[in-house]
Amino acid sequence: LRETRAGRAQLGLAGALGVAMAVTGVAQAALLGHVIADAAVHHVALAGLAGSLAVLAGVMALRALLAGGFEVSGRVGATRVMSELRGRLAEQLLVRSPVPRESERTGELAAAAVQGVDALEAYFAGYLPQLMLAAAVPVAILVWVVPLDLAAGVVFVVTIPLLIGFMILIGKGAQARARSRWQA
């Protein structure tokens, strides 16, 4: 996380968009449930569902736009972080290196640096924004469900620690891979 300085604003935007996606995901599920209940249980005709279907379509379109913004902001943030890392690495290897450059193979060093930093893209563009999204979705669901059904809310509260435990396990695996790539 210390290395995200250059792309922190974009990664923060990805986090905010992830929260908005979580909220629109809950709204989409609730609206879809409402439409299905009206159609199947209350036998409302299609004409009577037009307003609800229009709102559902709008929420789905908004969610798609948010998902696109989430992906783009994560990628832009990762690109900025990786660019800054490449610059620091090049400066360290080619300018500040205590070993004379004549004795090094600068082409090999540069290739290794580019490939090594490229290997971190999945972490910065994928894992970090998804981690923020994974934290926002359960909260959005709890905020929606608890007032509607306290028993379901209690089930969620009991199972969320399991979700967090699995996230930690996945994160540790990704962190170990990223650390080994970083060191390579």
Side-chain angles (χ1 to χ4, degrees), residues 19-107:
V19 170
M21 280 175 47
V23 169
T24 56
V26 170
Q28 179 181 329
L31 286 167
L32 185 59
H34 175 72
V35 167
I36 290 171
D38 280 352
V41 177
H42 304 294
H43 306 291
V44 175
L46 187 57
L49 296 173
S52 295
L53 288 172
V55 172
L56 178 60
V59 168
M60 290 172 72
L62 176 59
R63 188 162 183 236
L65 288 172
L66 291 170
F70 175 78
E71 181 70 24
V72 168
S73 62
R75 295 277 174 207
V76 169
T79 300
R80 289 187 177 179
V81 169
M82 291 166 46
S83 176
E84 196 258 340
L85 286 173
R86 281 188 195 99
R88 285 187 14 223
L89 188 57
E91 182 180 345
Q92 181 63 38
L93 290 175
L94 302 175
V95 177
R96 295 186 189 169
S97 178
V99 179
R101 284 190 294 269
E102 296 82 31
S103 67
E104 297 177 3
R105 292 153 105 155
T106 55

Side-chain angles (χ1 to χ4, degrees), residues 10 36 42 54 62-63 73-74 87 97 111 144 155-156 163 166 179:
Q10 288 75 25
I36 290 171
H42 304 294
L62 176 59
R63 188 162 183 236
S73 62
S97 178
W144 180 262
V155 169
F156 285 149
L163 174 68
F166 286 123
R179 184 175 291 127

Side-chain angles (χ1 to χ4, degrees), residues 1 19 21 30 39 41 57 88 105 114-115 118 138 146 149 180:
L1 291 176
V19 170
M21 280 175 47
V41 177
R88 285 187 14 223
R105 292 153 105 155
V114 168
Q115 289 173 348
D118 283 347
V146 168
D149 187 351
S180 69

